[in-house]
Amino acid sequence: MLAFEYIDTQSALDALVAKYQQAELLVLDTEFVRTRTYYARLGLIQAYDGQTLALIDPLAVQDLSRFWALLANPQIIKLVHSCSEDLEVFAHYGHCQPQPLFDSQLAASVCGLGHGLGYAKLVEQLLGISLDKGESRTDWLKRPLSDAQLQYAANDVYYLYQLYPMLKQQAEQQQRLDWVWEEGTRMTAGRLQQPDLEHAYLKVKNAFQLTSHQLAYLKVLAKWRLEKALARDLALGFVVKDHALIGLAKKQPRQLSDLLKMNDLTEQEKRINGRDLIKVMQSADLDNLPEPVDVLALKPGYKAAFKAVKNQLALICEQQNIPTEIFASKRNIHDFMQWHMDGRSKKLPLLLSGWRGELAKAPLLTLDLTL
């Protein structure tokens, strides 16, 4: 059984933060619930500095500001595993991002231990310890939490502390420690920005199918949906689904009776939001139409060019023993090709920047790509 402090009072949290201020390394994890909400609902925060393992109850402690400030302390290394969702939690609840950041999953990946390794798998691989994952589906908002649930949460930071020197040493030996720090900086960049209401329509699936005239309607619809989702803390799809927005933009019903005949919307969407949707569509600015969404993948030479880039990157990954998923993802290739199509004049894509650029810049820029 692991010993831990359960932090459920302000005085206990303040004392904990004072201890952690002296730490060189702080392991972090969060437990949350997300079903229908836009933001994850935070249920527990785990932290460990090698001496004090703490389980912080955010439902009991109202003011976490000193703890959030701790995460921004550049003198303390923050250690996490597969941190994308944790970073969302820190941004929303703490308006902060941990720096400097060391992601153990990322470190294992660039060191050739395997891509996307789960925490339990990595612990078993490096420490030879099998962790019980029986509490992985816990409702972390329910109180009180059982002893088994608390032990499960404590395990998530206790063994991660032990993994750090092993992963750091391997990264140093392979001269890839700078890659891990660089990725930590990249993963936290831009997370404190507010959702972009004006360009929400660009994230609607199949927006490229629409004309400029139709996009004008989609733009106001997507903005309305995002505002509604944020106000009600509701996942976008539980306000109105993407394909319904596309259908509305294409058919442009002028009155409620027209909307009620559409098959694109569910009966619930019609009942709850029908009148609002008609009103929103009437606000579309048809005098200043959006630019058509240019889909690079539809261009005649795209498939051949994509394959050429992918093959070149696969060769680099094989030579360097780097998983293609982290280095040559479809998104990374697409962004490079978009940059190439735009005349190579805009901001360098990820494949040509930092440690990736050191490996891929020369080979990629010599490719003969025709789009």
Side-chain angles (χ1 to χ4, degrees):
M1 298 286 286
L2 297 178
F4 59 83
E5 294 184 14
Y6 191 80
I7 307 298
D8 59 358
T9 67
Q10 195 66 53
S11 59
L13 180 70
D14 292 344
L16 178 71
V17 169
K19 289 181 185 178
Y20 284 167
Q21 289 286 8
Q22 312 305 315
E24 295 183 3
L25 174 70
L26 185 62
V27 187
L28 297 166
D29 191 26
T30 63
E31 305 295 347
F32 51 85
V33 175
R34 173 185 270 158
T35 51
R36 295 172 57 91
T37 57
Y38 187 88
Y39 294 109
R41 292 185 174 177
L42 181 60
L44 197 69
I45 304 170
Q46 303 103 291
Y48 184 44
D49 66 347
Q51 297 181 340
T52 303
L53 197 162
L55 305 181
I56 304 169
D57 187 345
L59 306 184
V61 183
Q62 298 301 312
D63 184 6
L64 294 170
S65 57
R66 292 186 179 180
F67 180 79
W68 299 132
L70 185 73
L71 269 57
N73 184 339
Q75 303 304 315
I76 305 173
I77 294 170
K78 318 307 182 309
L79 175 62
V80 294
H81 183 84
S82 185
C83 66
S84 179
E85 292 182 304
D86 298 308
L87 296 182
E88 286 185 33
V89 168
F90 298 147
H92 176 59
Y93 289 94
H95 306 290
C96 67
Q97 289 290 275
Q99 286 289 348
L101 180 68
F102 188 104
D103 187 316
S104 54
Q105 186 183 70
L106 183 282
S109 185
V110 300
C111 288
L113 298 177
H115 177 68
L117 289 177
Y119 174 65
K121 185 68 174 179
L122 188 59
V123 168
E124 184 176 10
Q125 186 169 321
L126 294 184
L127 300 178
I129 297 172
S130 297
L131 297 179
D132 180 8
K133 296 190 65 65
E135 304 297 333
S136 59
R137 295 190 179 276
T138 287
D139 179 357
W140 295 101
L141 300 177
K142 188 177 180 180
R143 294 295 184 271
L145 294 169
S146 69
D147 290 341
Q149 291 166 340
L150 294 173
Q151 282 294 313
Y152 171 89
N155 284 340
D156 281 351
V157 289
Y158 179 77
Y159 294 106
L160 189 50
Y161 188 91
Q162 299 179 44
L163 292 178
Y164 175 71
M166 304 170 72
L167 292 169
K168 183 184 178 185
Q169 182 182 36
Q170 289 204 36
E172 286 177 326
Q173 289 175 345
Q174 297 183 43
Q175 297 183 334
R176 293 179 178 181
L177 184 57
D178 286 347
W179 296 11
V180 181
W181 296 126
E182 182 184 317
E183 288 299 290
T185 299
R186 185 184 65 80
M187 287 188 288
T188 58
R191 286 189 178 269
L192 299 183
Q193 296 175 0
Q194 294 300 309
D196 187 350
L197 296 169
E198 296 301 324
H199 295 93
Y201 73 101
L202 294 175
K203 295 186 177 182
V204 177
K205 185 177 181 181
N206 294 326
F208 70 91
Q209 296 177 352
L210 305 185
T211 65
S212 292
H213 185 83
Q214 294 168 337
L215 283 173
Y217 289 99
L218 183 66
K219 184 174 182 178
V220 294
L221 287 167
K223 179 181 179 180
W224 167 86
R225 182 179 67 166
L226 180 52
E227 289 174 332
K228 183 76 71 174
L230 293 170
R232 296 172 58 191
D233 190 17
L234 197 60
L236 291 175
F238 287 107
V239 180
V240 178
K241 293 181 172 54
D242 276 11
H243 74 267
L245 295 187
I246 295 294
L248 287 165
K250 286 182 175 180
K251 297 175 182 176
Q252 302 154 28
R254 295 183 177 275
Q255 49 194 13
L256 184 59
S257 59
D258 296 328
L259 182 144
L260 294 175
K261 297 175 185 176
M262 292 178 58
N263 295 325
D264 307 84
L265 286 82
T266 66
E267 293 305 313
Q268 184 179 23
E269 289 170 338
K270 294 174 184 178
R271 183 178 68 255
I272 297 175
N273 299 308
R275 295 184 185 279
D276 284 347
L277 290 168
I278 292 295
K279 185 176 180 180
V280 168
M281 294 185 70
Q282 291 171 351
S283 69
D285 186 356
L286 302 180
D287 294 324
N288 297 285
L289 299 179
E291 291 289 327
V293 179
D294 185 12
V295 181
L296 185 64
L298 297 180
K299 295 188 177 298
Y302 179 83
K303 288 186 178 180
F306 185 95
K307 185 177 180 180
V309 174
K310 183 178 180 180
N311 289 342
Q312 181 63 69
L313 293 175
L315 180 60
I316 295 172
C317 290
E318 183 179 359
Q319 294 170 342
Q320 300 292 331
N321 191 26
I322 306 169
T324 55
E325 296 90 343
I326 189 174
F327 189 84
S329 70
K330 184 175 181 179
R331 174 63 182 271
N332 290 350
I333 297 174
H334 183 86
D335 288 347
F336 166 74
M337 293 174 65
Q338 187 70 58
W339 172 83
H340 174 78
M341 189 189 76
D342 290 339
R344 301 188 174 189
S345 59
K346 296 183 178 179
K347 181 181 177 181
L348 284 179
L350 188 62
L351 280 174
L352 301 183
S353 306
W355 65 272
R356 290 180 180 82
E358 293 175 6
L359 299 175
K361 193 169 187 177
L364 287 184
L365 294 184
T366 57
L367 289 176
D368 182 16
L369 302 177
T370 302
L371 292 173

